[in-house]
Amino acid sequence: MHAFALNFAGMRSDGFIHYLDAHLLVVEKPAGLLSVPGRLPENRDCVVSRLQASHPEVLTVHRLDQVTSGLMLYARGKAMQVALSVLFEQRQVTKRYQALVCGVIDADSGEIALPLTRDWPNRPRQKVDHQTGKPSLTRWWVVERDQANRQTRLELEPVTGRTHQLRVHLASIGHPIIGDVFYGADADVAGRVCLHARRLAFTHPATAQAMAFESPPPF
């Protein structure tokens, strides 16, 4: 399915709508913009509030970290929000990310199965905790190795959807995401955290049509 650009209220030039129908929207979120409003007044600007300026019925289904760019799915109305949330809960939504990570990874693919929980004294930081953490699984594949810069481009599948899961899992194996100083990367030389939600695929709850969207990483 081909994306089309449709600017919406207040969105920067690197964020746009890929798809819009009577039931849902697929949106490109730029890095640095919140998915939903934060608690403080200065953090009210976000993707959903900008969408609601022109589509008041839009509701959140899932989130991306503020530092992450890429594809997001939003519902138009409560019934569709429930239907899409069920797809996510039942793992019927295919999500793929790409990341640039520190270091060169020798293996071609693998899995990271480490339980995660909130690091309460250092909120919003998350951490691996084998006693109280929730089961978390990430699958990864090497796309490209950059020996000169000591970096690896990875394709990522978050089988579970814990907060900061990809960022914590990669840091835990000694390969933090480029730019992610919050989780141990060196000083930010990329100008952003190099994590992008590049593919989203699901069956449309209202039409039963197979939907698939792609967004090339901007790094």
mmCIF file of all heavy atoms in Angstrom, residues 154-201:
data_model
loop_
_atom_site.group_PDB
_atom_site.id
_atom_site.type_symbol
_atom_site.label_atom_id
_atom_site.label_comp_id
_atom_site.label_asym_id
_atom_site.label_seq_id
_atom_site.Cartn_x
_atom_site.Cartn_y
_atom_site.Cartn_z
ATOM 1 N N LEU A 154 20.421 -2.739 12.706
ATOM 2 C CA LEU A 154 19.618 -3.905 13.061
ATOM 3 C C LEU A 154 18.162 -3.725 12.655
ATOM 4 O O LEU A 154 17.608 -2.624 12.721
ATOM 5 C CB LEU A 154 19.649 -4.139 14.574
ATOM 6 C CG LEU A 154 20.970 -4.496 15.230
ATOM 7 C CD1 LEU A 154 20.771 -4.647 16.737
ATOM 8 C CD2 LEU A 154 21.556 -5.767 14.640
ATOM 9 N N GLU A 155 17.559 -4.827 12.248
ATOM 10 C CA GLU A 155 16.099 -4.929 12.132
ATOM 11 C C GLU A 155 15.613 -5.538 13.444
ATOM 12 O O GLU A 155 16.200 -6.511 13.948
ATOM 13 C CB GLU A 155 15.726 -5.826 10.960
ATOM 14 C CG GLU A 155 14.241 -5.989 10.737
ATOM 15 C CD GLU A 155 13.651 -4.912 9.847
ATOM 16 O OE1 GLU A 155 14.386 -3.972 9.469
ATOM 17 O OE2 GLU A 155 12.465 -5.012 9.534
ATOM 18 N N LEU A 156 14.548 -4.978 14.010
ATOM 19 C CA LEU A 156 14.084 -5.377 15.328
ATOM 20 C C LEU A 156 12.607 -5.722 15.313
ATOM 21 O O LEU A 156 11.801 -5.030 14.684
ATOM 22 C CB LEU A 156 14.312 -4.242 16.330
ATOM 23 C CG LEU A 156 15.747 -3.749 16.487
ATOM 24 C CD1 LEU A 156 15.763 -2.421 17.224
ATOM 25 C CD2 LEU A 156 16.591 -4.779 17.222
ATOM 26 N N GLU A 157 12.261 -6.774 16.029
ATOM 27 C CA GLU A 157 10.858 -7.131 16.252
ATOM 28 C C GLU A 157 10.599 -7.208 17.758
ATOM 29 O O GLU A 157 11.078 -8.130 18.424
ATOM 30 C CB GLU A 157 10.506 -8.480 15.632
ATOM 31 C CG GLU A 157 9.056 -8.881 15.892
ATOM 32 C CD GLU A 157 8.752 -10.325 15.538
ATOM 33 O OE1 GLU A 157 9.689 -11.047 15.122
ATOM 34 O OE2 GLU A 157 7.582 -10.725 15.673
ATOM 35 N N PRO A 158 9.858 -6.246 18.315
ATOM 36 C CA PRO A 158 9.495 -6.353 19.730
ATOM 37 C C PRO A 158 8.284 -7.282 19.878
ATOM 38 O O PRO A 158 7.150 -6.890 19.626
ATOM 39 C CB PRO A 158 9.132 -4.910 20.094
ATOM 40 C CG PRO A 158 8.630 -4.319 18.814
ATOM 41 C CD PRO A 158 9.354 -5.016 17.692
ATOM 42 N N VAL A 159 8.525 -8.510 20.277
ATOM 43 C CA VAL A 159 7.426 -9.479 20.425
ATOM 44 C C VAL A 159 6.494 -9.025 21.548
ATOM 45 O O VAL A 159 5.270 -9.099 21.441
ATOM 46 C CB VAL A 159 7.972 -10.888 20.689
ATOM 47 C CG1 VAL A 159 6.833 -11.893 20.871
ATOM 48 C CG2 VAL A 159 8.887 -11.317 19.544
ATOM 49 N N THR A 160 7.072 -8.541 22.637
ATOM 50 C CA THR A 160 6.303 -7.884 23.686
ATOM 51 C C THR A 160 6.484 -6.375 23.512
ATOM 52 O O THR A 160 7.325 -5.933 22.738
ATOM 53 C CB THR A 160 6.788 -8.320 25.070
ATOM 54 O OG1 THR A 160 8.225 -8.153 25.129
ATOM 55 C CG2 THR A 160 6.446 -9.781 25.339
ATOM 56 N N GLY A 161 5.700 -5.606 24.234
ATOM 57 C CA GLY A 161 5.721 -4.165 24.039
ATOM 58 C C GLY A 161 5.953 -3.393 25.317
ATOM 59 O O GLY A 161 5.192 -2.485 25.649
ATOM 60 N N ARG A 162 7.010 -3.711 26.043
ATOM 61 C CA ARG A 162 7.305 -3.021 27.295
ATOM 62 C C ARG A 162 7.867 -1.616 27.027
ATOM 63 O O ARG A 162 8.469 -1.368 25.976
ATOM 64 C CB ARG A 162 8.305 -3.809 28.129
ATOM 65 C CG ARG A 162 7.981 -5.280 28.310
ATOM 66 C CD ARG A 162 6.669 -5.518 28.997
ATOM 67 N NE ARG A 162 6.431 -6.948 29.158
ATOM 68 C CZ ARG A 162 5.238 -7.486 29.362
ATOM 69 N NH1 ARG A 162 4.166 -6.705 29.442
ATOM 70 N NH2 ARG A 162 5.113 -8.796 29.503
ATOM 71 N N THR A 163 7.716 -0.748 28.001
ATOM 72 C CA THR A 163 8.262 0.594 27.918
ATOM 73 C C THR A 163 9.777 0.541 27.726
ATOM 74 O O THR A 163 10.481 -0.155 28.456
ATOM 75 C CB THR A 163 7.934 1.386 29.194
ATOM 76 O OG1 THR A 163 6.521 1.445 29.358
ATOM 77 C CG2 THR A 163 8.495 2.797 29.122
ATOM 78 N N HIS A 164 10.272 1.259 26.694
ATOM 79 C CA HIS A 164 11.705 1.353 26.402
ATOM 80 C C HIS A 164 12.332 -0.008 26.106
ATOM 81 O O HIS A 164 13.552 -0.177 26.229
ATOM 82 C CB HIS A 164 12.475 2.019 27.549
ATOM 83 C CG HIS A 164 12.096 3.436 27.809
ATOM 84 N ND1 HIS A 164 12.753 4.224 28.740
ATOM 85 C CD2 HIS A 164 11.130 4.240 27.272
ATOM 86 C CE1 HIS A 164 12.202 5.430 28.769
ATOM 87 N NE2 HIS A 164 11.212 5.463 27.890
ATOM 88 N N GLN A 165 11.522 -0.984 25.720
ATOM 89 C CA GLN A 165 12.027 -2.357 25.595
ATOM 90 C C GLN A 165 13.235 -2.471 24.669
ATOM 91 O O GLN A 165 14.262 -3.058 25.052
ATOM 92 C CB GLN A 165 10.915 -3.283 25.093
ATOM 93 C CG GLN A 165 11.396 -4.719 24.835
ATOM 94 C CD GLN A 165 10.287 -5.640 24.399
ATOM 95 O OE1 GLN A 165 9.197 -5.612 24.972
ATOM 96 N NE2 GLN A 165 10.522 -6.434 23.369
ATOM 97 N N LEU A 166 13.122 -1.957 23.458
ATOM 98 C CA LEU A 166 14.222 -2.108 22.511
ATOM 99 C C LEU A 166 15.485 -1.414 23.020
ATOM 100 O O LEU A 166 16.595 -1.940 22.903
ATOM 101 C CB LEU A 166 13.822 -1.549 21.146
ATOM 102 C CG LEU A 166 12.626 -2.234 20.474
ATOM 103 C CD1 LEU A 166 12.287 -1.536 19.164
ATOM 104 C CD2 LEU A 166 12.900 -3.710 20.236
ATOM 105 N N ARG A 167 15.307 -0.258 23.605
ATOM 106 C CA ARG A 167 16.444 0.526 24.097
ATOM 107 C C ARG A 167 17.150 -0.191 25.246
ATOM 108 O O ARG A 167 18.389 -0.286 25.274
ATOM 109 C CB ARG A 167 15.953 1.909 24.519
ATOM 110 C CG ARG A 167 15.329 2.690 23.374
ATOM 111 C CD ARG A 167 14.537 3.898 23.867
ATOM 112 N NE ARG A 167 15.423 4.877 24.509
ATOM 113 C CZ ARG A 167 14.969 5.937 25.168
ATOM 114 N NH1 ARG A 167 13.660 6.145 25.289
ATOM 115 N NH2 ARG A 167 15.829 6.786 25.708
ATOM 116 N N VAL A 168 16.384 -0.724 26.194
ATOM 117 C CA VAL A 168 16.984 -1.411 27.337
ATOM 118 C C VAL A 168 17.596 -2.742 26.920
ATOM 119 O O VAL A 168 18.704 -3.093 27.341
ATOM 120 C CB VAL A 168 15.939 -1.625 28.453
ATOM 121 C CG1 VAL A 168 16.569 -2.336 29.645
ATOM 122 C CG2 VAL A 168 15.345 -0.299 28.909
ATOM 123 N N HIS A 169 16.887 -3.496 26.094
ATOM 124 C CA HIS A 169 17.409 -4.790 25.665
ATOM 125 C C HIS A 169 18.740 -4.647 24.930
ATOM 126 O O HIS A 169 19.691 -5.401 25.181
ATOM 127 C CB HIS A 169 16.386 -5.497 24.784
ATOM 128 C CG HIS A 169 15.422 -6.327 25.552
ATOM 129 N ND1 HIS A 169 14.369 -7.002 24.960
ATOM 130 C CD2 HIS A 169 15.341 -6.621 26.887
ATOM 131 C CE1 HIS A 169 13.695 -7.663 25.903
ATOM 132 N NE2 HIS A 169 14.267 -7.442 27.058
ATOM 133 N N LEU A 170 18.828 -3.678 24.017
ATOM 134 C CA LEU A 170 20.074 -3.517 23.270
ATOM 135 C C LEU A 170 21.202 -3.029 24.172
ATOM 136 O O LEU A 170 22.344 -3.486 24.065
ATOM 137 C CB LEU A 170 19.846 -2.566 22.096
ATOM 138 C CG LEU A 170 18.962 -3.162 20.993
ATOM 139 C CD1 LEU A 170 18.517 -2.089 20.013
ATOM 140 C CD2 LEU A 170 19.694 -4.286 20.262
ATOM 141 N N ALA A 171 20.890 -2.119 25.076
ATOM 142 C CA ALA A 171 21.907 -1.671 26.023
ATOM 143 C C ALA A 171 22.379 -2.813 26.911
ATOM 144 O O ALA A 171 23.566 -2.905 27.260
ATOM 145 C CB ALA A 171 21.354 -0.527 26.877
ATOM 146 N N SER A 172 21.460 -3.721 27.249
ATOM 147 C CA SER A 172 21.795 -4.817 28.172
ATOM 148 C C SER A 172 22.758 -5.825 27.563
ATOM 149 O O SER A 172 23.438 -6.548 28.300
ATOM 150 C CB SER A 172 20.503 -5.539 28.613
ATOM 151 O OG SER A 172 19.977 -6.323 27.560
ATOM 152 N N ILE A 173 22.836 -5.884 26.232
ATOM 153 C CA ILE A 173 23.788 -6.801 25.590
ATOM 154 C C ILE A 173 25.040 -6.052 25.131
ATOM 155 O O ILE A 173 25.837 -6.581 24.352
ATOM 156 C CB ILE A 173 23.148 -7.575 24.426
ATOM 157 C CG1 ILE A 173 22.707 -6.633 23.305
ATOM 158 C CG2 ILE A 173 21.979 -8.419 24.922
ATOM 159 C CD1 ILE A 173 22.317 -7.360 22.013
ATOM 160 N N GLY A 174 25.198 -4.817 25.597
ATOM 161 C CA GLY A 174 26.405 -4.055 25.312
ATOM 162 C C GLY A 174 26.392 -3.300 24.001
ATOM 163 O O GLY A 174 27.449 -2.842 23.544
ATOM 164 N N HIS A 175 25.200 -3.124 23.397
ATOM 165 C CA HIS A 175 25.080 -2.421 22.119
ATOM 166 C C HIS A 175 23.971 -1.376 22.181
ATOM 167 O O HIS A 175 22.945 -1.496 21.508
ATOM 168 C CB HIS A 175 24.820 -3.417 20.983
ATOM 169 C CG HIS A 175 25.937 -4.382 20.751
ATOM 170 N ND1 HIS A 175 27.103 -4.035 20.103
ATOM 171 C CD2 HIS A 175 26.079 -5.683 21.121
ATOM 172 C CE1 HIS A 175 27.909 -5.080 20.061
ATOM 173 N NE2 HIS A 175 27.323 -6.090 20.674
ATOM 174 N N PRO A 176 24.153 -0.322 23.003
ATOM 175 C CA PRO A 176 23.118 0.710 23.071
ATOM 176 C C PRO A 176 22.908 1.382 21.720
ATOM 177 O O PRO A 176 23.800 1.400 20.874
ATOM 178 C CB PRO A 176 23.669 1.688 24.107
ATOM 179 C CG PRO A 176 25.149 1.463 24.108
ATOM 180 C CD PRO A 176 25.322 -0.003 23.826
ATOM 181 N N ILE A 177 21.719 1.927 21.540
ATOM 182 C CA ILE A 177 21.385 2.594 20.287
ATOM 183 C C ILE A 177 22.176 3.905 20.184
ATOM 184 O O ILE A 177 22.316 4.644 21.159
ATOM 185 C CB ILE A 177 19.872 2.865 20.218
ATOM 186 C CG1 ILE A 177 19.104 1.533 20.227
ATOM 187 C CG2 ILE A 177 19.507 3.670 18.968
ATOM 188 C CD1 ILE A 177 17.602 1.687 20.362
ATOM 189 N N ILE A 178 22.684 4.173 18.996
ATOM 190 C CA ILE A 178 23.417 5.409 18.746
ATOM 191 C C ILE A 178 22.563 6.613 19.171
ATOM 192 O O ILE A 178 21.397 6.723 18.802
ATOM 193 C CB ILE A 178 23.781 5.534 17.248
ATOM 194 C CG1 ILE A 178 24.701 4.401 16.813
ATOM 195 C CG2 ILE A 178 24.389 6.911 16.949
ATOM 196 C CD1 ILE A 178 26.074 4.435 17.419
ATOM 197 N N GLY A 179 23.148 7.483 19.960
ATOM 198 C CA GLY A 179 22.447 8.678 20.418
ATOM 199 C C GLY A 179 21.668 8.507 21.700
ATOM 200 O O GLY A 179 21.204 9.486 22.281
ATOM 201 N N ASP A 180 21.517 7.271 22.177
ATOM 202 C CA ASP A 180 20.699 7.022 23.369
ATOM 203 C C ASP A 180 21.567 7.107 24.626
ATOM 204 O O ASP A 180 21.835 6.105 25.297
ATOM 205 C CB ASP A 180 20.014 5.663 23.260
ATOM 206 C CG ASP A 180 18.842 5.518 24.227
ATOM 207 O OD1 ASP A 180 18.567 6.485 24.973
ATOM 208 O OD2 ASP A 180 18.195 4.453 24.224
ATOM 209 N N VAL A 181 21.979 8.317 24.967
ATOM 210 C CA VAL A 181 22.836 8.514 26.150
ATOM 211 C C VAL A 181 22.103 8.132 27.429
ATOM 212 O O VAL A 181 22.725 7.810 28.442
ATOM 213 C CB VAL A 181 23.334 9.973 26.216
ATOM 214 C CG1 VAL A 181 24.246 10.267 25.042
ATOM 215 C CG2 VAL A 181 22.175 10.968 26.251
ATOM 216 N N PHE A 182 20.765 8.155 27.389
ATOM 217 C CA PHE A 182 19.965 7.763 28.546
ATOM 218 C C PHE A 182 20.246 6.324 28.941
ATOM 219 O O PHE A 182 20.158 5.959 30.116
ATOM 220 C CB PHE A 182 18.477 7.964 28.223
ATOM 221 C CG PHE A 182 17.568 7.954 29.420
ATOM 222 C CD1 PHE A 182 17.694 8.893 30.427
ATOM 223 C CD2 PHE A 182 16.543 7.013 29.524
ATOM 224 C CE1 PHE A 182 16.847 8.888 31.521
ATOM 225 C CE2 PHE A 182 15.693 7.008 30.613
ATOM 226 C CZ PHE A 182 15.841 7.948 31.617
ATOM 227 N N TYR A 183 20.589 5.480 27.959
ATOM 228 C CA TYR A 183 20.873 4.076 28.216
ATOM 229 C C TYR A 183 22.310 3.692 27.836
ATOM 230 O O TYR A 183 22.561 2.581 27.402
ATOM 231 C CB TYR A 183 19.867 3.194 27.490
ATOM 232 C CG TYR A 183 18.510 3.181 28.175
ATOM 233 C CD1 TYR A 183 17.408 3.809 27.589
ATOM 234 C CD2 TYR A 183 18.338 2.582 29.424
ATOM 235 C CE1 TYR A 183 16.169 3.815 28.227
ATOM 236 C CE2 TYR A 183 17.107 2.584 30.059
ATOM 237 C CZ TYR A 183 16.032 3.203 29.458
ATOM 238 O OH TYR A 183 14.800 3.201 30.092
ATOM 239 N N GLY A 184 23.230 4.632 28.020
ATOM 240 C CA GLY A 184 24.631 4.256 27.991
ATOM 241 C C GLY A 184 25.400 4.490 26.712
ATOM 242 O O GLY A 184 26.591 4.145 26.655
ATOM 243 N N ALA A 185 24.767 5.063 25.685
ATOM 244 C CA ALA A 185 25.525 5.375 24.479
ATOM 245 C C ALA A 185 26.476 6.530 24.758
ATOM 246 O O ALA A 185 26.281 7.316 25.684
ATOM 247 C CB ALA A 185 24.582 5.733 23.335
ATOM 248 N N ASP A 186 27.491 6.635 23.930
ATOM 249 C CA ASP A 186 28.424 7.744 24.054
ATOM 250 C C ASP A 186 27.716 9.057 23.721
ATOM 251 O O ASP A 186 26.570 9.073 23.273
ATOM 252 C CB ASP A 186 29.614 7.547 23.107
ATOM 253 C CG ASP A 186 30.481 6.371 23.531
ATOM 254 O OD1 ASP A 186 30.481 6.042 24.739
ATOM 255 O OD2 ASP A 186 31.143 5.780 22.661
ATOM 256 N N ALA A 187 28.399 10.160 23.928
ATOM 257 C CA ALA A 187 27.834 11.482 23.658
ATOM 258 C C ALA A 187 27.143 11.504 22.305
ATOM 259 O O ALA A 187 27.622 10.915 21.330
ATOM 260 C CB ALA A 187 28.939 12.528 23.704
ATOM 261 N N ASP A 188 25.997 12.176 22.261
ATOM 262 C CA ASP A 188 25.132 12.163 21.084
ATOM 263 C C ASP A 188 25.822 12.824 19.898
ATOM 264 O O ASP A 188 25.972 14.039 19.843
ATOM 265 C CB ASP A 188 23.826 12.893 21.409
ATOM 266 C CG ASP A 188 22.836 12.855 20.252
ATOM 267 O OD1 ASP A 188 23.127 12.171 19.251
ATOM 268 O OD2 ASP A 188 21.794 13.508 20.348
ATOM 269 N N VAL A 189 26.238 11.992 18.933
ATOM 270 C CA VAL A 189 26.865 12.509 17.720
ATOM 271 C C VAL A 189 25.908 12.464 16.534
ATOM 272 O O VAL A 189 26.213 12.987 15.470
ATOM 273 C CB VAL A 189 28.140 11.706 17.377
ATOM 274 C CG1 VAL A 189 29.187 11.883 18.458
ATOM 275 C CG2 VAL A 189 27.821 10.218 17.196
ATOM 276 N N ALA A 190 24.744 11.849 16.721
ATOM 277 C CA ALA A 190 23.795 11.684 15.620
ATOM 278 C C ALA A 190 22.702 12.745 15.630
ATOM 279 O O ALA A 190 21.957 12.877 14.660
ATOM 280 C CB ALA A 190 23.161 10.289 15.686
ATOM 281 N N GLY A 191 22.575 13.486 16.735
ATOM 282 C CA GLY A 191 21.523 14.490 16.819
ATOM 283 C C GLY A 191 20.177 13.915 17.196
ATOM 284 O O GLY A 191 19.186 14.644 17.299
ATOM 285 N N ARG A 192 20.118 12.612 17.434
ATOM 286 C CA ARG A 192 18.881 11.932 17.809
ATOM 287 C C ARG A 192 19.205 10.508 18.236
ATOM 288 O O ARG A 192 20.323 10.021 18.035
ATOM 289 C CB ARG A 192 17.898 11.893 16.635
ATOM 290 C CG ARG A 192 18.442 11.163 15.398
ATOM 291 C CD ARG A 192 17.334 10.718 14.452
ATOM 292 N NE ARG A 192 16.461 9.732 15.084
ATOM 293 C CZ ARG A 192 15.316 9.317 14.536
ATOM 294 N NH1 ARG A 192 14.903 9.807 13.397
ATOM 295 N NH2 ARG A 192 14.580 8.411 15.155
ATOM 296 N N VAL A 193 18.222 9.832 18.806
ATOM 297 C CA VAL A 193 18.322 8.399 19.061
ATOM 298 C C VAL A 193 17.954 7.687 17.757
ATOM 299 O O VAL A 193 16.874 7.909 17.200
ATOM 300 C CB VAL A 193 17.373 7.966 20.194
ATOM 301 C CG1 VAL A 193 17.382 6.451 20.365
ATOM 302 C CG2 VAL A 193 17.767 8.657 21.495
ATOM 303 N N CYS A 194 18.843 6.839 17.265
ATOM 304 C CA CYS A 194 18.660 6.228 15.945
ATOM 305 C C CYS A 194 17.784 4.976 16.029
ATOM 306 O O CYS A 194 18.242 3.837 15.851
ATOM 307 C CB CYS A 194 20.009 5.915 15.321
ATOM 308 S SG CYS A 194 20.942 7.386 14.888
ATOM 309 N N LEU A 195 16.502 5.209 16.307
ATOM 310 C CA LEU A 195 15.493 4.150 16.395
ATOM 311 C C LEU A 195 14.258 4.613 15.637
ATOM 312 O O LEU A 195 13.746 5.715 15.889
ATOM 313 C CB LEU A 195 15.144 3.857 17.850
ATOM 314 C CG LEU A 195 14.079 2.788 18.107
ATOM 315 C CD1 LEU A 195 14.526 1.423 17.569
ATOM 316 C CD2 LEU A 195 13.765 2.690 19.601
ATOM 317 N N HIS A 196 13.773 3.772 14.705
ATOM 318 C CA HIS A 196 12.690 4.168 13.801
ATOM 319 C C HIS A 196 11.728 3.005 13.602
ATOM 320 O O HIS A 196 12.150 1.880 13.288
ATOM 321 C CB HIS A 196 13.278 4.589 12.453
ATOM 322 C CG HIS A 196 12.272 5.066 11.463
ATOM 323 N ND1 HIS A 196 11.673 6.308 11.531
ATOM 324 C CD2 HIS A 196 11.745 4.459 10.369
ATOM 325 C CE1 HIS A 196 10.843 6.460 10.522
ATOM 326 N NE2 HIS A 196 10.857 5.346 9.799
ATOM 327 N N ALA A 197 10.429 3.262 13.793
ATOM 328 C CA ALA A 197 9.379 2.265 13.534
ATOM 329 C C ALA A 197 9.096 2.262 12.036
ATOM 330 O O ALA A 197 8.382 3.127 11.532
ATOM 331 C CB ALA A 197 8.126 2.606 14.327
ATOM 332 N N ARG A 198 9.651 1.289 11.319
ATOM 333 C CA ARG A 198 9.662 1.373 9.861
ATOM 334 C C ARG A 198 8.547 0.590 9.169
ATOM 335 O O ARG A 198 8.246 0.841 8.006
ATOM 336 C CB ARG A 198 11.004 0.905 9.303
ATOM 337 C CG ARG A 198 11.243 -0.588 9.419
ATOM 338 C CD ARG A 198 12.246 -1.083 8.378
ATOM 339 N NE ARG A 198 12.138 -2.528 8.201
ATOM 340 C CZ ARG A 198 11.347 -3.120 7.322
ATOM 341 N NH1 ARG A 198 10.582 -2.401 6.516
ATOM 342 N NH2 ARG A 198 11.303 -4.443 7.232
ATOM 343 N N ARG A 199 7.921 -0.377 9.861
ATOM 344 C CA ARG A 199 6.872 -1.171 9.214
ATOM 345 C C ARG A 199 5.742 -1.425 10.196
ATOM 346 O O ARG A 199 5.962 -1.707 11.384
ATOM 347 C CB ARG A 199 7.409 -2.508 8.708
ATOM 348 C CG ARG A 199 6.326 -3.403 8.072
ATOM 349 C CD ARG A 199 6.927 -4.661 7.455
ATOM 350 N NE ARG A 199 5.911 -5.615 7.035
ATOM 351 C CZ ARG A 199 5.215 -5.537 5.892
ATOM 352 N NH1 ARG A 199 5.455 -4.543 5.050
ATOM 353 N NH2 ARG A 199 4.310 -6.443 5.597
ATOM 354 N N LEU A 200 4.511 -1.332 9.675
ATOM 355 C CA LEU A 200 3.309 -1.608 10.465
ATOM 356 C C LEU A 200 2.339 -2.343 9.559
ATOM 357 O O LEU A 200 2.022 -1.875 8.463
ATOM 358 C CB LEU A 200 2.699 -0.289 10.939
ATOM 359 C CG LEU A 200 1.638 -0.304 12.032
ATOM 360 C CD1 LEU A 200 2.205 -0.837 13.341
ATOM 361 C CD2 LEU A 200 1.088 1.100 12.245
ATOM 362 N N ALA A 201 1.878 -3.526 9.988
ATOM 363 C CA ALA A 201 0.961 -4.324 9.174
ATOM 364 C C ALA A 201 -0.102 -4.949 10.067
ATOM 365 O O ALA A 201 0.197 -5.405 11.175
ATOM 366 C CB ALA A 201 1.714 -5.403 8.402
#
